[in-house]
Amino acid sequence: MLAYIFRRLLLIIPTLLGILIINFIIIQAAPGGPVEQMIAKLEGFEGATSRIAGGGAEVSVAGSNYRGAQGLDPALIKEIEQMYGFDKPAPERLWIMIKNYARLDFGDSFFRDAKVIDLIIEKMPVSISLGLWSTLIMYLVSIPLGIAKATRHGSHFDVWTSSAIIIGYAIPAFLFAILLIVLFAGGSYLDWFPLRGLTSNNFDELSTTGKLLDYFWHLVLPVTALVIGNFATMTLLTKNSFLDEINKQYVVTAKAKGLSPNRVLYGHVFRNAMLLVIAGFPSAFIGIFFTGSLLIEVIFSLDGLGLMSFEAAINRDYPVVFGTLFIFTLLGLVVKLIGDLTYTLVDPRIDFDSREH
């Protein structure tokens, strides 16, 4: 097992490298980089000033020369390219980025006047809070509900819960978030929960118990919206996985030996059925951790990694884009490895080493 873990950890390195290179190539082909955006801003601002001053006259704004229809001074353009590191050819920039990332140096943001690693650390608590608690609650709800539906397949309970699951699957999480705000955050009815932020303004003045209560108080609505919008798939996956195992011959044999239903379900069916559910954990966690929480962060004014990554992509803030890409990829690979290792806890018969031999 240790040898398997070591090999998987070594495979993370070329995987990260390949993902960075592919995205770097894609970025080079994308129009409207930081240099072009800065030039457009300067030309737009200075061009407007030029027209106010009387048209094609030469004016000087912010220490740069705008020459009417000729645009900006080439020396200024070269200075902008050097400022963003685009004065070097693409292969050299890629090599510099890889060397820096090997030292976990993600550089500085183009537009936020801060180091990328500091921005990631600053935003991480929000994203971890949303991803961790949403995934945990989703599994705690989906697995028991899926098992109950499988054991009561075709009953009124199964029909009514399926109706609720279909509604939850059909309505996006951000619509549930808006509904929760209207109902419980002072929208039109009740004002029980805060509308914005992860903590209150007086958080530092509260006691330890008060800080915990305040923290979870702010998380109730965003986590609820994420859970309602994402638990349907996991519930149906659990139900179908258990139904498939319940109908197999070894279950019939176990029942014929006189074992109780709970002993058959949790002693024999559970381990086999849970393998498929566990396989979906990494994608579920990463999905909620990043893409699934973007709109939730916007709606509840939670400044996390999802919102920061989206704004960085829109603004072409490449150091932040690649820094967050590196972190999310690394996190996804590590969580995937943990998910594979969890197989052995659920079913000790699984042995990765013997399978490879």
Side-chain angles (χ1 to χ4, degrees):
M1 179 60 68
L2 292 178
Y4 173 79
I5 295 173
F6 181 72
R7 288 194 298 270
R8 286 290 298 272
L9 291 175
L10 287 180
L11 283 174
I12 290 178
I13 298 175
T15 304
L16 277 172
L17 183 62
I19 291 174
L20 287 176
I21 291 175
I22 292 172
N23 282 274
F24 184 86
I25 294 173
I26 294 174
I27 287 294
Q28 303 312 303
V35 175
E36 289 80 1
Q37 288 197 12
M38 180 59 69
I39 291 174
K41 289 179 181 178
L42 291 175
E43 287 184 341
F45 173 69
E46 295 174 354
T49 306
S50 174
R51 287 192 295 273
I52 293 172
E58 180 178 341
V59 295
S60 178
V61 178
S64 63
N65 292 324
Y66 180 77
R67 303 170 301 162
Q70 300 180 31
L72 294 176
D73 189 343
L76 176 62
I77 295 177
K78 288 186 177 298
E79 184 179 344
I80 295 173
E81 291 176 347
Q82 184 177 5
M83 179 176 64
Y84 290 125
F86 281 80
D87 57 324
K88 303 178 180 66
E92 184 178 352
R93 285 187 278 119
L94 175 61
W95 174 243
I96 292 173
M97 183 183 74
I98 292 174
K99 288 195 300 183
N100 291 336
Y101 277 32
R103 305 193 304 268
L104 295 181
D105 179 10
F106 303 118
D108 299 328
S109 170
F110 286 160
F111 306 110
R112 292 176 179 257
D113 192 26
K115 290 185 176 297
V116 174
I117 189 64
D118 293 336
L119 290 172
I120 292 175
I121 293 174
E122 179 186 348
K123 313 299 182 185
M124 190 71 78
V126 172
S127 296
I128 289 180
S129 296
L130 290 177
L132 178 63
W133 294 114
S134 299
T135 306
L136 180 62
I137 294 175
M138 184 179 70
Y139 268 75
L140 290 176
V141 171
S142 299
I143 292 176
L145 180 59
I147 295 174
K149 287 175 63 61
T151 56
R152 297 171 176 83
H153 180 62
S155 65
H156 291 293
F157 172 81
D158 184 33
V159 173
W160 284 107
T161 52
S162 295
S163 301
I165 288 172
I166 291 173
I167 294 174
Y169 183 77
I171 302 177
F174 72 90
L175 289 182
F176 280 114
I178 296 173
L179 177 63
L180 292 174
I181 289 175
V182 171
L183 294 177
F184 302 111
S188 300
Y189 298 93
L190 303 173
D191 190 8
W192 288 354
F193 299 98
L195 181 59
R196 56 191 302 121
L198 191 62
T199 57
S200 300
N201 294 329
N202 63 336
F203 182 78
D204 294 333
E205 303 173 3
L206 300 175
S207 63
T208 302
T209 303
K211 289 180 179 179
L212 286 174
L213 292 176
D214 182 76
Y215 168 73
F216 286 111
W217 183 47
H218 281 76
L219 280 177
V220 168
L221 294 188
V223 169
T224 300
L226 282 173
V227 170
I228 293 177
N230 291 281
F231 85 105
T233 302
M234 186 57 60
T235 301
L236 293 178
L237 177 64
T238 304
K239 176 191 174 182
N240 294 332
S241 180
F242 272 80
L243 274 179
D244 184 57
E245 292 296 326
I246 288 174
N247 294 325
K248 289 186 176 180
Q249 185 62 42
Y250 75 90
V251 177
V252 177
T253 303
K255 291 180 179 178
K257 290 181 178 180
L259 296 180
S260 65
N262 286 337
R263 179 68 183 277
V264 173
L265 182 65
Y266 295 104
H268 294 76
V269 175
F270 186 83
R271 288 182 176 180
N272 295 323
M274 284 300 295
L275 292 178
L276 188 60
V277 177
I278 291 174
F281 174 78
S283 59
F285 179 76
I286 296 300
I288 294 179
F289 187 78
F290 180 49
T291 55
S293 63
L294 171 58
L295 292 176
I296 299 299
E297 290 180 13
V298 174
I299 292 172
F300 289 99
S301 299
L302 298 170
D303 193 7
L305 284 175
L307 180 58
M308 185 184 72
S309 302
F310 175 75
E311 292 176 346
I314 295 298
N315 297 325
R316 303 296 194 271
D317 194 348
Y318 292 151
V320 176
V321 171
F322 283 109
T324 52
L325 174 68
F326 182 90
I327 293 297
F328 281 122
T329 304
L330 179 61
L331 181 64
L333 293 172
V334 171
V335 172
K336 179 64 176 176
L337 174 58
I338 294 174
D340 290 344
L341 295 178
T342 309
Y343 287 156
T344 60
L345 298 178
V346 177
D347 190 348
R349 296 173 299 175
I350 296 177
D351 188 345
F352 293 106
D353 288 330
S354 63
R355 181 193 64 181
E356 294 181 358
H357 290 121

